[in-house]
Amino acid sequence: THTYVNRLSQGQAMLDAARAAQALPDTSLPPDGPVAFWGYSQGGGAAASAAELASAYAPELDIVGTYAGAPPADLAALIPFADGSALVGVIGYALNSVFQTYPEVEPKIRGLLTPRGMDFVDKTRDQCVPETLTKFMFRHLQPYFNGPIDVLLADPQFRGLLDLQKLGTLKPNAPVMINHNRFDPLVPYAPSVQLGKDWCAKGADVEFRTNEQPPFLNKAVVNHALPMLVDGEPAMQWIADRFNGVPTRPNCGQF
């Protein structure tokens, strides 16, 4: 089962992917060449996690930069944004990730699910996004639980699980660019800002860019998906600049 939005699993997977790429035979990649990480949405969280974990988990990698687009930096803040949206099914992905990573809590969480909730979790376990969209788009989460969701989130055990996935507790060992739409209806903007501030407070080289596209069809998550495309070219240029040794332009204290 995919360990979706699990901070350690996704960050370590991205670092291992860099190691694997450099170990492939018959490529132009030197085994000790520069590495950059790129990701958007859940991938942005993976890239951000890789940036944080690199010093301890993969100190041999020569990391020159990380692009983290719309990273889900605080999962507790994401849940009410996802509720009722086209991509509400990602909550099913996240619950299955919890079951995979922390099997000791699965019986308790399943005990809080209604029959519809059990169906939601079991079906999203092996779905990809297009199928999840057709089966669950625009559904609300409360009918899947037999008690108020806000009470569940206040449970210290579950809150502790969510807090383990928060980004910003470790300092990246290379420059980072965070990009996020101010009105993102799926992955909230404020935790990304806080992530940048937390990294800045640790002395990291951070450039934060805000996409100002006004809200449009919020429940269709347009303001989450569109920046992945329209901001992709300048973000790729930022990555190219890191490979080429161009000086960074951190803006800590200005966002």
Side-chain angles (χ1 to χ4, degrees):
T1 301
H2 194 309
T3 48
Y4 185 79
V5 296
N6 180 277
R7 181 177 62 87
L8 291 177
S9 293
Q10 62 186 359
Q12 290 171 354
M14 186 166 273
L15 291 161
D16 286 340
R19 288 167 162 163
Q22 291 184 329
L24 288 171
D26 303 321
T27 76
S28 61
L29 298 175
D32 57 352
V35 172
F37 297 115
W38 167 288
Y40 191 87
S41 192
Q42 185 262 330
S49 177
E52 290 190 339
L53 298 175
S55 293
Y57 185 77
E60 79 281 7
L61 293 180
D62 177 19
I63 300 170
V64 296
T66 295
Y67 168 69
D74 184 350
L75 297 187
L78 181 147
I79 291 171
F81 276 61
D83 189 23
S85 77
L87 280 172
V88 66
V90 300
I91 302 302
Y93 299 168
L95 287 171
N96 279 294
S97 173
V98 169
F99 297 164
Q100 175 71 20
T101 312
Y102 311 103
E104 67 276 9
V105 305
E106 180 174 357
K108 183 173 182 179
I109 294 178
R110 284 192 175 273
L112 297 170
L113 297 173
T114 63
R116 287 181 62 188
M118 294 282 280
D119 180 69
F120 172 65
V121 169
D122 291 340
K123 284 182 177 175
T124 53
R125 183 175 184 271
D126 57 1
Q127 288 179 348
C128 291
V129 168
E131 184 178 5
T132 302
L133 282 171
T134 60
K135 297 287 178 62
F136 294 106
M137 64 167 62
F138 307 127
R139 303 288 182 88
H140 287 283
L141 292 169
Q142 187 56 69
Y144 297 154
F145 294 89
N146 55 30
I149 293 177
D150 56 345
V151 175
L152 169 63
L153 293 177
D155 184 306
Q157 183 178 17
F158 300 133
R159 185 71 203 198
L161 289 175
L162 294 172
D163 287 345
L164 284 174
Q165 315 316 322
K166 289 183 71 171
L167 298 164
T169 60
L170 301 168
K171 177 186 174 183
N173 68 347
V176 180
M177 184 174 84
I178 304 172
N179 185 80
H180 210 136
N181 177 267
R182 187 183 301 276
F183 308 103
D184 190 320
L186 180 66
V187 178
Y189 172 79
S192 278
V193 173
Q194 188 59 53
L195 170 62
K197 291 180 177 179
D198 290 342
W199 279 344
C200 286
K202 293 174 173 57
D205 182 324
V206 179
E207 181 176 346
F208 192 100
R209 295 184 182 178
T210 298
N211 178 298
E212 298 285 2
Q213 168 68 38
F216 180 69
L217 297 177
N218 273 352
K219 291 304 180 181
V221 300
V222 170
N223 281 61
H224 179 68
L226 193 60
M228 177 172 57
L229 304 176
V230 300
D231 295 335
E233 188 278 331
M236 189 63 78
Q237 184 58 57
W238 185 92
I239 289 288
D241 287 346
R242 304 292 72 76
F243 282 117
N244 293 326
V246 176
T248 58
R249 296 182 295 176
N251 58 351
C252 288
Q254 300 174 38
F255 57 86

